[in-house]
């Protein structure tokens, strides 16, 4: 939850930057100044309630599904860590399944983030009611296809990068998960998680721009290809990378914290279940 709170202002800037604009010199600083002057600093936290309410459940599902799938795809001895190939396949499957949870959450979040102060707009529940009344359950899953196309490969890259980076930073740590004397330090966990987050965002970012536009202005586009063609034709290919800097900065901090919390929790639970006092997983 702390990651959502600390990273949400950058997320709001990213969503605003990704929307159609006639300006050729769009920058995060200009958007920040505009929002602060016309909507107030709290505008950076618009839409935070949706991810805040779902983040714990979402992360629990993601890590549990990944653990199951990465083992299911691995044909080796179950006592060995999954191969990197199994890690990628498990990540891809996890990302595809996660999109079913994430799509409605991001739809509400994005539409709230794009509301202007003058319109006052609707709250999360009001927005959900309006969508359900007009479009039914189908309306809550607007953008599901592009969300799955973004998240499936991105999660394959995400988990592979984390496993590879932490093994590079601390050789042998994948083989010694139960030995607390060989665990990663907190700093290395943060770096490995941060690098994984950055890599996953870079590989999928153009699809994220299309997703944000499809969910933010649904009436403007008929589908993914139409959104892509219209955006590139009117604003140039560079539009597909607009806001990447804010996404990368947020990804490093938030995902470093997520993986560190996950690793520490695993080791504390392992120590507790073994009848020992929980010992720190980091130095």
């Amino acid at each position: 939850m702390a990651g959502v709170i600390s990273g949400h202002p950058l997320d709001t800037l990213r969503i605003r930057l990704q929307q159609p604009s006639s300006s050729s010199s769009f920058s995060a600083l200009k958007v920040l100044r505009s929002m602060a002057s016309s909507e107030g600093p709290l505008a950076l936290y618009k839409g935070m309630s949706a991810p805040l309410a779902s983040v714990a459940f979402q992360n629990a599902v993601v890590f549990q599904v990944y653990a199951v799938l990465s083992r299911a795809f691995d044909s080796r001895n179950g006592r060995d860590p999954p191969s990197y190939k199994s890690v990628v396949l498990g990540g891809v499957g996890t990302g595809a399944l996660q999109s079913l949870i994430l799509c409605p959450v991001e739809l509400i979040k994005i539409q709230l983030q794009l509301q202007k102060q003058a319109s006052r707009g609707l709250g999360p529940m009001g927005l959900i009611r309006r969508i359900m009344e007009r479009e039914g359950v189908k309306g809550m899953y607007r953008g599901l296809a592009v969300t799955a196309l973004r998240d499936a490969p991105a999660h394959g890259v995400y988990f592979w990068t984390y496993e590879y980076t932490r093994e590079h930073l601390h050789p042998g740590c994948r083989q010694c998960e139960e030995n607390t004397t060989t665990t990663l330090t907190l700093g290395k966990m943060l770096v490995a998680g941060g690098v994984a987050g950055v890599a996953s965002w870079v590989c999928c970012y153009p699809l994220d721009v299309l997703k944000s536009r499809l969910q933010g202005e649904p009436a403007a586009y008929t589908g993914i290809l139409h959104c892509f063609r219209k955006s590139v034709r009117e604003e140039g290919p560079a539009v597909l990378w607009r806001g990447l800097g804010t996404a990368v900065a947020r990804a490093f901090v938030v995902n470093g914290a997520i993986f560190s919390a996950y690793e520490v929790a695993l080791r504390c639970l392992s120590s507790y279940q073994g009848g020992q006092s929980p010992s720190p997983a980091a130095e």
Side-chain angles (χ1 to χ4, degrees):
M1 290 189 180
V4 173
I5 295 171
S6 61
H8 197 77
L10 285 172
D11 185 71
T12 300
L13 291 177
R14 172 180 64 86
I15 296 300
R16 293 286 183 105
L17 284 166
Q18 289 175 335
Q19 301 308 307
S21 170
S22 58
S23 172
S24 60
S25 58
F26 230 48
S27 71
L29 188 58
K30 286 185 176 182
V31 173
L32 177 61
R33 287 173 176 169
S34 175
M35 291 182 67
S37 62
S38 62
E39 303 173 56
L42 290 181
L44 292 168
Y45 290 93
K46 285 182 177 180
M48 187 174 67
S49 57
L52 198 61
S54 63
V55 64
F57 174 71
Q58 178 194 330
N59 283 333
V61 169
V62 165
F63 282 102
Q64 182 59 42
V65 170
Y66 165 71
V68 171
L69 291 182
S70 61
R71 287 293 183 186
F73 285 119
D74 196 71
S75 59
R76 303 183 305 169
N77 186 341
R79 295 182 62 85
D80 295 328
S83 66
Y84 285 121
K85 178 182 177 181
S86 300
V87 165
V88 172
L89 292 175
V92 170
T94 299
L97 289 172
Q98 182 205 231
S99 62
L100 295 173
I101 301 172
L102 194 60
C103 183
V105 173
E106 292 219 333
L107 174 68
I108 298 303
K109 176 184 75 70
I110 288 171
Q111 295 207 7
L112 290 172
Q113 286 173 317
L114 295 176
Q115 286 182 354
K116 305 297 182 182
Q117 187 182 43
S119 66
R120 296 204 173 264
L122 298 170
M125 297 308 299
L127 193 54
I128 291 171
R129 282 194 295 269
R130 187 174 70 178
I131 293 173
M132 291 292 290
E133 288 171 359
R134 294 180 178 180
E135 305 173 67
V137 175
K138 182 181 177 181
M140 294 298 299
Y141 283 90
R142 186 188 303 126
L144 176 61
V146 71
T147 302
L149 287 172
R150 178 196 70 170
D151 284 1
H155 275 69
V157 171
Y158 184 58
F159 285 107
W160 180 88
T161 303
Y162 177 73
E163 294 290 342
Y164 180 84
T165 303
R166 71 173 185 145
E167 179 68 19
H168 181 75
L169 291 173
H170 195 110
C173 67
R174 296 189 76 230
Q175 301 291 334
C176 307
E177 296 287 2
E178 301 302 322
N179 188 343
T180 56
T181 64
T182 62
T183 54
L184 287 165
T185 63
L186 181 59
K188 290 176 181 178
M189 289 181 195
L190 289 168
V191 170
V195 170
V198 170
S200 67
W201 271 100
V202 170
C203 80
C204 74
Y205 197 76
L207 285 169
D208 184 68
V209 173
L210 298 180
K211 186 190 79 68
S212 295
R213 292 186 171 208
L214 285 166
Q215 292 186 319
E217 293 191 60
Y221 311 103
T222 59
I224 301 172
L225 286 178
H226 179 239
C227 181
F228 171 77
R229 290 169 180 164
K230 183 177 180 180
S231 299
V232 172
R233 183 177 64 249
E234 294 179 356
E235 301 172 73
V239 70
L240 297 175
W241 298 97
R242 186 188 293 163
L244 178 62
T246 58
V248 165
R250 174 183 174 274
F252 189 89
V253 174
V254 171
N255 289 285
I258 287 173
F259 269 112
S260 297
Y262 173 70
E263 293 281 3
V264 170
L266 277 184
R267 283 153 178 76
C268 288
L269 287 171
S270 178
S271 296
Y272 177 76
Q273 290 173 352
Q276 304 171 5
S277 302
S279 54
E283 297 173 359

